[in-house]
């Protein structure tokens, strides 16, 4: 079969150009426009990158129309039910599910790297007591480059792998320390006898004066949330990591940039914003009023936790979390009126023409906050929780990019400013 191509004709110059159509294993075909500027002197304009593939990747596949999410080919539903976060981490990093010996080695490596240098703790002490955990997380992760500067050769696969493991291992330690800093509690060191999610809960909530037993229901719920957040192909924070990585910057700088991008309320900051919104609505009787506000084009208010750039159908992660949310609250014996409120909001929005026409469904962040709240995690920590899970995706994508030839990421623009003009001295203006 002849190779598919797109033929463009420039109505001004009459020149034509054949653009090859590139197909991956799944997903919509993509036009390779790399010859467009050299041949026709034209750029493409796609603000927000709604129609632009920035890279080839083997890691995660999303079909937004069908509500499909797969890591390395495995459906998210199967991984959520059968796997663990660290196993998913291995899968995302190395492409295959680990054999038992491979997993044991990987788990040992991650566990071995969970402690942070004491000076990182001193660095953290410099933050104000009420600093947002995401401010601490991005600052501390960037500072890690200063602690491991002898292992920052991005052209060395072993050093890249070590940095990836360090980031995955230390992120929960740093996030928990950020919380403890805000509480004025002493540092809690990682306990290597616990698994990844248990260890995080222990570092969050144990205090020297009490014996803290990790609740297995809480640890399992957390592990599930980490799995669901682990990767989501070229989202804003991952694209940020890749863009920074394309310059040859070190992995700690790239990840810190990813954390900063995640913080925004249109991205990972939405989980914190959802809980704030539910608290602001306060009562089921006020849901209609807020749905109306969300539809009002003169009001900047949006229903947080609704809508997604790629999913124009249910976000499959939201479906899993919604179910888990009910189960976790039941198992922990918690009755949270915010869950009833969220259910009512979801029902009204899903029946409303505005949301139906725009295909706005609840996304991953709509329910995750209710589970975090049930686990005792404060609202200000929600986006840091997302960051712990997503670190695996960031480093997997960074490793993939670093291992393959790539160019510096450098978009172009449509310049709309002043045409050339002459400088006027200050007394003449
Ligand atoms: N509430 C009310 N209207 C909305 C919402 C919302 N949450 N989301 C989108 N719309 C409207 C928007 O006003 C626009 O309407 P119109 O066509 O009349 O101008 C239409 O739907 C399309 O929206 P868009 O802004 O062009 O869509 P986008 O793909 O650029 O943005 C989004 C996607 C996720 C940023 C957006 O839906 C949003 O702001 N949602 C709320 C924040 C949120 O929950 N973010 C978490 C996303 S999932 C996790 C993650 O990525 O980290």
């Amino acid at each position: 079969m002849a190779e598919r191509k797109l033929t463009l004709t420039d109505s001004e110059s009459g020149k034509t150009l054949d653009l090859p159509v590139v197909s991956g294993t799944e997903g919509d075909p993509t036009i390779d426009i790399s010859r467009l500027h050299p041949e026709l002197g034209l750029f493409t304009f796609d603000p927000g990158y709604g129609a632009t593939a920035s890279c080839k990747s083997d890691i995660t596949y999303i079909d937004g129309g069908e509500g499909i999410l797969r890591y390395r080919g495995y459906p998210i539903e199967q991984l959520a039910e059968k796997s663990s976060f660290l196993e998913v981490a291995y899968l995302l990093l190395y492409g295959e599910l680990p054999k038992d010996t491979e997993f044991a080695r990987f788990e040992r490596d991650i566990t071995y790297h969970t402690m942070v240098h004491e000076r990182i703790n001193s660095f953290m002490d410099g933050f104000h007591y009420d600093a947002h955990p995401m401010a601490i997380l991005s600052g501390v992760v960037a500072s890690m480059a200063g602690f491991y500067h002898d292992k920052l050769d991005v052209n060395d696969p072993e050093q890249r792998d070590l940095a990836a493991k360090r980031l995955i291992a230390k992120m929960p330690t740093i996030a928990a320390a950020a919380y403890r800093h805000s509480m004025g509690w002493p540092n809690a060191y990682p306990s290597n006898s616990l698994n990844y999610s248990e260890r995080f809960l222990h570092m969050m909530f144990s205090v020297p004066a009490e014996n803290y037993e990790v609740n297995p229901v809480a640890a399992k719920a957390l592990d599930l949330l980490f799995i669901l957040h682990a990767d989501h192909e070229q989202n804003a924070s991952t694209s940020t990591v890749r863009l920074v990585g394309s310059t040859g910057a070190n992995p700690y700088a790239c990840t810190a940039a990813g954390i900063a991008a995640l913080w925004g309320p249109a991205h990972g900051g939405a989980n914190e914003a959802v809980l704030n919104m539910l608290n602001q609505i306060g009562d089921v009787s006020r849901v209609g009023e807020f749905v109306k506000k969300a539809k009002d084009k003169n009001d900047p208010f949006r229903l947080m936790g609704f809508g997604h750039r790629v999913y124009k159908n249910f976000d499959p992660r939201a479906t899993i979390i919604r179910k888990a949310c009910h189960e976790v609250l039941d198992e922990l014996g918690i009755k949270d009126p915010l869950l009833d409120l969220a259910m009512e909001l979801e029902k009204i929005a899903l029946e409303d023409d505005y949301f139906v026409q725009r295909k706005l469904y609840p996304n991953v962040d709509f329910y995750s906050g209710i589970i975090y709240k049930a686990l005792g995690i404060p609202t200000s920590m929600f986006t840091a929780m997302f960051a712990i899970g997503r670190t695996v995706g960031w480093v997997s994508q960074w490793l993939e990019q670093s291992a393959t030839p790539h160019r510096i990421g450098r978009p172009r623009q449509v310049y709309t400013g002043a045409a050339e003009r002459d400088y006027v001295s200050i007394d003449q203006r």
Side-chain angles (χ1 to χ4, degrees):
M1 201 173 67
E3 266 182 31
R4 187 173 171 188
K5 62 187 184 198
L6 210 86
T7 305
L8 285 186
T9 308
D10 183 347
S11 60
E12 213 168 276
S13 64
K15 281 190 187 166
T16 62
L17 177 66
D18 287 341
L19 296 175
V21 173
V22 183
S23 288
T25 31
E26 296 196 76
D28 292 339
T30 306
I31 309 159
D32 177 348
I33 56 155
S34 51
R35 299 300 310 151
L36 187 61
H37 189 255
E39 302 281 342
L40 297 185
L42 295 168
F43 290 127
T44 53
F45 180 56
D46 181 22
Y49 312 119
T52 296
S54 60
C55 62
K56 289 184 179 174
S57 178
D58 294 353
I59 302 175
T60 291
Y61 173 69
I62 301 176
D63 182 331
E66 295 296 322
I68 289 171
L69 168 62
R70 296 187 201 126
Y71 295 161
R72 301 281 189 184
Y74 295 101
I76 191 67
E77 293 79 7
Q78 290 181 24
L79 295 169
E81 192 193 332
K82 299 176 181 166
S83 190
S84 68
F85 176 62
L86 265 200
E87 188 179 64
V88 165
Y90 185 100
L91 173 69
L92 287 167
L93 286 166
Y94 304 117
E96 296 298 335
L97 285 168
K99 297 190 180 29
D100 51 4
T101 48
E102 290 166 333
F103 183 69
R105 199 177 323 123
F106 179 66
E107 190 171 34
R108 194 194 56 218
D109 284 355
I110 295 292
T111 306
Y112 176 78
H113 284 293
T114 49
M115 277 179 68
V116 295
H117 195 287
E118 276 302 306
R119 294 288 79 74
I120 287 188
N121 289 325
S122 327
F123 177 58
M124 213 173 296
D125 276 346
F127 282 91
H128 202 253
Y129 75 95
D130 60 356
H132 195 282
M134 290 296 279
I136 300 183
L137 209 57
S138 52
V140 170
V141 169
S143 83
M144 285 168 73
F147 290 87
Y148 304 113
H149 47 80
D150 56 334
K151 290 279 185 285
L152 291 183
D153 183 355
V154 297
N155 297 314
D156 177 344
E158 270 182 38
Q159 293 192 33
R160 289 200 300 260
D161 189 65
L162 176 61
K165 285 179 179 149
R166 279 186 167 141
L167 278 158
I168 295 168
K170 293 181 203 302
M171 199 62 78
T173 314
I174 299 166
Y179 169 64
R180 300 179 75 87
H181 180 76
S182 70
M183 299 297 285
W185 291 352
N187 281 335
Y189 291 94
S191 175
N192 285 358
S193 58
L194 300 173
N195 73 26
Y196 192 87
S197 297
E198 292 167 346
R199 187 162 51 235
F200 173 73
L201 287 172
H202 192 264
M203 283 188 288
M204 276 289 284
F205 299 120
S206 61
V207 287
E210 301 267 346
N211 191 20
Y212 176 79
E213 290 288 331
V214 177
N215 182 331
V217 174
K220 191 163 172 280
L222 194 59
D223 210 68
L224 172 70
L225 289 168
F226 287 155
I227 292 175
L228 298 178
H229 283 109
D231 193 45
H232 214 229
E233 51 117 308
Q234 309 312 320
N235 57 84
S237 57
T238 304
S239 297
T240 303
V241 170
R242 277 192 181 255
L243 187 63
V244 178
S246 76
T247 69
N250 71 73
Y252 304 104
C254 298
T255 307
I259 295 170
L262 187 75
W263 195 356
H267 192 8
N271 54 14
E272 181 176 341
V274 168
L275 218 81
N276 292 337
M277 175 189 75
L278 292 175
N279 280 320
Q280 198 192 349
I281 299 175
D283 188 80
V284 172
S285 63
R286 297 187 65 203
V287 165
E289 182 193 324
F290 279 81
V291 170
K292 202 166 154 219
K293 257 169 86 62
K295 297 192 299 186
D296 182 354
K297 289 288 165 209
N298 298 316
D299 190 328
F301 175 78
R302 282 188 166 197
L303 274 196
M304 299 316 287
F306 266 80
H308 197 276
R309 167 60 63 80
V310 182
Y311 294 119
K312 301 302 171 198
N313 196 326
F314 251 90
D315 177 340
R317 303 166 300 172
T319 311
I320 298 168
I321 295 191
R322 187 182 197 271
K323 186 164 165 276
C325 201
H326 287 280
E327 287 167 4
V328 170
L329 264 64
D330 276 356
E331 286 186 59
L332 295 176
I334 294 173
K335 176 97 189 86
D336 190 340
L338 284 193
L339 182 58
D340 300 333
L341 191 56
M343 298 278 297
E344 183 62 16
L345 184 58
E346 184 194 84
K347 186 167 155 281
I348 294 191
L350 287 179
E351 286 167 357
D352 192 293
D353 262 3
Y354 174 96
F355 290 87
V356 173
Q357 276 168 13
R358 289 169 180 74
K359 297 189 166 69
L360 300 171
Y361 293 91
N363 59 49
V364 68
D365 289 325
F366 190 64
Y367 281 105
S368 61
I370 298 172
I371 304 191
Y372 288 138
K373 183 168 174 263
L375 305 187
I377 291 164
T379 316
S380 63
M381 276 292 290
F382 288 3
T383 312
M385 305 301 297
F386 193 153
I388 296 174
R390 185 55 57 85
T391 298
V392 166
W394 291 330
V395 298
S396 301
Q397 302 266 351
W398 175 79
L399 284 174
E400 182 180 66
Q401 175 177 270
S402 305
T404 41
H406 59 272
R407 300 174 77 193
I408 187 170
R410 201 331 184 161
R412 302 304 296 251
Q413 63 171 7
V414 178
Y415 174 68
T416 55
E420 185 182 359
R421 48 187 173 162
D422 289 324
Y423 180 80
V424 181
S425 63
I426 195 161
D427 55 326
Q428 305 284 307
R429 283 173 220 157

